[in-house]
DNA sequence: GTCTATAAGCCGATAGAC
DNA sequence: GTCTATCGGCTTATAGAC
């Protein structure tokens, strides 16, 4: 555990939190640098531009998220005959763990939901170029488990699942956390509910 | 079919399209008034402020959307023993028809997806105060069809479904429209796929 | 109702001292 | 690497003429 974080890291964390709360256009570099206790000019020195700062906010978390997802997928496949539920868990749990990470990251799921809502071509291309292969790996693994599902139906359903997961992870909407349940337990429960729901949806006739 | 639209309507349509494309903070009133062929000061004259313009963009479409949804729900209930699929269709098809309406409205689903990503308290309260009762009516109708489903599970799943629907309606993600299929057919197909997926998810053990 | 003109302020980015 | 100071441009909103 480090008591000190670099200027770059502090900028990234502050940007993540403020982009989650106000959006990419809505959060200014002045707000970011004030929250990070850093000089305004430091952003351009370390990141060059606001657009590039946005990309780096994604890269920091997504690199680890995809690594964890692919590693979990590998573990599940090594068991020989993975269940649909175990494949979905390999996709969902790393996102959940990131969201519950005490070093921050819960804001990142909201940033990701923003990115989904943005139809910005530049951002989409960056995401699909760098992380599209993860979705493909999971699609193949799920296809193996559901050989009777047509490729088109599979992609429709994965699309629905992605949307549902993004929104569920960023905000547990109408479902309020019961009084006696911790935030972590609430999220774990959410993941379990989600996997059951998604598995049933994928198995639809 | 009217050849003339009022200044107010032209502002609303231009705002809807630009908010969909650039977000609420990202689209300026200057862009909006230029696209609407209207003077800059007209926005403040007709709507008072940018924030209020945002609210009115929602109100214009949501009033009609909720009316159509509740009317479709009523029709389905009058058949006596509605199927889960028919209830979901009563919820999904009005949104679909709005999105395919040639008077615009396809942009509105993207605006709605933005609103989901925004965690802005003011906007959320406005939406839940004015349109929360629709979700409740559907929840009750679905509970009647699935009496064994616990209330908590029901709300979790409706939350997932809302997220998936919003995302799917605003952007058909990885599923590309086949060459020989019209945009309308593509959307209709999407709705059918979605209802099958959501019904199976709700019926999960 | 629609216009011009302008107020008052925030924006991203950078030049240049240290 | 970090700072101050500042540039040029864009923002929402409004006062007041027509």
């Amino acid at each position: 555990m480090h008591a000190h974080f670099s200027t770059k890291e502090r900028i990234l964390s502050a940007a993540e939190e403020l982009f989650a709360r106000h959006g990419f256009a809505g959060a200014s570099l002045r707000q970011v640098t004030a929250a990070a206790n850093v000089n305004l000019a430091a952003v351009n020195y370390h990141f060059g531009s606001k657009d590039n700062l946005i990309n780096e906010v994604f890269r920091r978390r997504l690199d680890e998220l995809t690594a964890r997802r692919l590693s979990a997928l590998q573990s599940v496949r090594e068991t020989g005959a993975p269940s649909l539920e175990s494949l979905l868990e390999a996709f969902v749990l790393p996102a959940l763990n990131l969201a519950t990470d005490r070093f921050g990251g819960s804001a990142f799921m909201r940033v990701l939901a923003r990115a989904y809502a943005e139809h910005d071509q530049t951002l989409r291309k960056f995401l699909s170029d760098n992380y599209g292969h993860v979705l493909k790996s999971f699609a193949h693994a799920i296809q193996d488990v559901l050989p009777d599902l047509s490729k088109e139906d599979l992609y429709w359903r994965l699309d629905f699942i992605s949307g549902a997961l993004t929104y569920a992870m960023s905000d547990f909407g109408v479902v309020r956390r019961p009084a006696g349940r911790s935030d972590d337990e609430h999220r774990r429960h959410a993941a379990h509910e989600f996997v059951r729901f998604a598995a049933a949806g994928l198995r639809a006739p």
Side-chain angles (χ1 to χ4, degrees), chain A residues 27-164:
Chain A
S28 73
L29 295 184
R30 283 175 159 80
Q31 289 175 284
V32 168
T33 51
N37 249 303
V38 151
N39 188 273
L40 171 61
V43 168
N44 280 68
Y45 177 78
H46 286 285
F47 297 97
S49 70
K50 183 178 181 177
D51 275 347
N52 194 55
L53 170 61
I54 294 173
N55 283 350
E56 292 305 315
V57 165
F58 283 108
R59 194 192 307 279
R60 180 174 67 150
R61 303 283 186 199
L62 281 181
D63 281 352
E64 193 179 343
L65 180 60
T66 60
R68 288 200 204 172
R69 275 178 166 162
L70 290 176
S71 142
L73 176 60
Q74 185 62 23
S75 298
V76 167
R77 290 189 120 166
E78 277 166 2
T79 67
S83 69
L84 178 56
E85 279 79 1
S86 66
L87 289 173
L88 287 169
E89 273 171 13
F91 192 76
V92 170
L93 288 182
L96 184 83
N97 290 333
L98 186 69
T100 54
D101 190 338
R102 56 180 61 257
F103 277 102
S106 83
F108 182 66
M109 286 296 142
R110 285 180 282 147
V111 173
L112 215 47
R114 294 259 184 195
Y116 266 78
E118 302 272 340
H119 283 217
D120 181 88
Q121 282 303 107
T122 318
L123 186 55
R124 286 179 97 83
K125 194 176 172 348
F126 172 84
L127 292 175
S128 120
D129 284 356
N130 289 283
Y131 309 102
H133 65 285
V134 183
L135 211 62
K136 265 197 188 140
S137 297
F138 275 90
H140 283 137
I142 290 173
Q143 180 77 84
D144 287 347
V145 179
L146 298 172
D148 292 340
L149 187 61
S150 79
K151 209 159 181 168
E152 199 198 328
D153 280 359
L154 172 65
Y155 275 97
W156 276 113
R157 293 173 191 183
L158 286 180
D159 217 25
F160 299 145
I161 287 172
S162 304

Side-chain angles (χ1 to χ4, degrees), chain A residues 12-26:
Chain A
L12 283 170
S13 294
E16 183 174 79
E17 177 58 37
L18 284 159
F19 287 154
R21 192 145 45 194
H22 304 295
F24 304 111

